Amino acid sequence: MITLKFRSRFPRVLKNARARPKKKASPTDITVEEKVLIKEASKTAEFHDSCPTIRNKAARVAGLIKKSRYCVVFTGAGISTSAGIGDYRGKGGKWTQMDQAATTSKLAESLVEPTPDREGGGKGEEHNDGQGGVNYESLRPTYAHEAIAKLVEVGLVKHVISQNCDGLHRLSAVPEDKLSELHGNVFVEVCEKCGRKYYRPFYVLDDQASEYYEELEDNGTTDLVKPRHALRDNLDEVTLGTATEHAQRMDLCVSLGSTMRVTPACELVEMGIEPVRLVIVNRQKTRLDELCLKKHGGDQLGERVYGDCDVLLEEVMGHLLSPEETVAWRQQLVVKRATYDSQRTRL
């Protein structure tokens, strides 16, 4: 009986539904394409803790460093943004712009019919000059770089693992045996026969290096002449091995300016002695944020700071150094920074 009633009423219901006036689009309504762009942009959303919150978290981070027996610092591009070099996953970062451009391009292709000009034969990608427009010789260590070097000097930080290739950790005087530069250093040439490193005052990369290795890996051969020196995305096994050894020994990892998305580098921050104590300082959210807030025995293991590395570390150093030590260190920095120009020469 219920089925018969439904069938008898269905034509009338359908007729009324079709006759009902359609809802007008609101000026605030957004299209599917706009929703895609908003979702893509939300991936790079940045957050900032308040000044009082930064101070409170800095005090706790300093306490963790003091108690640590083997603290390792892990750094990403965000530590060098205040030096004048762009990051990768920030709002204007290299990978962010590439992802957003790709998303916009896909949307445009779905909305616009192809034409001969769009299908091919047009201008290709703009050639990257190898430096991304950055004058590496003019870059100088930030406050965060100097603070890390000081913590290494006094023994509070045992090792530094960096994803950066800008050479600022070495320039700030972090000893070579205390530093693992996973992606190389744009001021270092390595002999292919003996493996000896040569530190140069100038940017050593060859503009054709990336193209040479890309063709070699994609096609197995290339007509390009092999470059004298090259920075590659592939990690050096020796450097990665050293970094892994230190990562496995750490009881505290302080990650500065990294979204920790690039493997296998990002896996190092989780290799420490259990329970893993992790401090993350970054303006964007990361996949490991919850690990920082994890509790053990009722106490929070690590700390999550949303803000700039320079700001946080300036507060931290105030807890780790006495007023007298701070004054002496600042005086040392004046002398130290005066030598930087003599260590950099642009060809």
Side-chain angles (χ1 to χ4, degrees), residues 70-216:
Y70 209 93
C71 176
V72 171
V73 170
F74 181 88
T75 65
I79 195 176
S80 298
T81 53
S82 61
I85 187 170
D87 57 10
Y88 290 87
R89 289 292 177 186
K91 290 188 294 185
K94 179 179 179 181
W95 302 148
T96 298
Q97 291 180 345
M98 290 175 65
D99 289 345
Q100 291 178 348
T103 301
T104 303
S105 177
K106 289 180 181 178
L107 289 174
E109 290 175 2
S110 67
L111 296 173
V112 182
E113 293 185 2
T115 66
D117 289 338
R118 291 191 179 93
E119 290 178 333
K123 185 178 179 180
E125 290 185 5
E126 184 178 353
H127 179 66
N128 191 313
D129 64 1
Q131 298 187 34
V134 176
N135 179 358
Y136 280 90
E137 289 89 347
S138 68
L139 298 179
R140 296 295 178 266
T142 65
Y143 183 93
H145 286 99
E146 301 289 10
I148 292 170
K150 182 62 178 179
L151 294 179
V152 171
E153 178 189 326
V154 299
L156 289 174
V157 169
K158 305 302 182 184
H159 199 76
V160 179
I161 302 173
S162 182
Q163 294 175 291
N164 302 337
C165 56
D166 50 36
L168 294 179
H169 281 305
R170 287 289 294 128
L171 187 59
S172 67
V174 174
E176 183 179 357
D177 63 339
K178 300 288 185 180
L179 175 65
S180 294
E181 294 175 305
L182 299 179
H183 297 286
N185 185 322
V186 298
F187 294 96
V188 176
E189 290 182 292
V190 181
C191 176
E192 293 185 349
K193 292 184 179 180
C194 68
R196 182 178 178 181
K197 294 182 179 180
Y198 294 87
Y199 287 87
R200 308 299 192 191
F202 50 84
Y203 181 92
V204 302
L205 301 192
D206 194 317
D207 289 344
Q208 291 185 335
S210 295
E211 189 176 354
Y212 170 85
Y213 283 109
E214 284 176 6
E215 285 195 10
L216 193 63

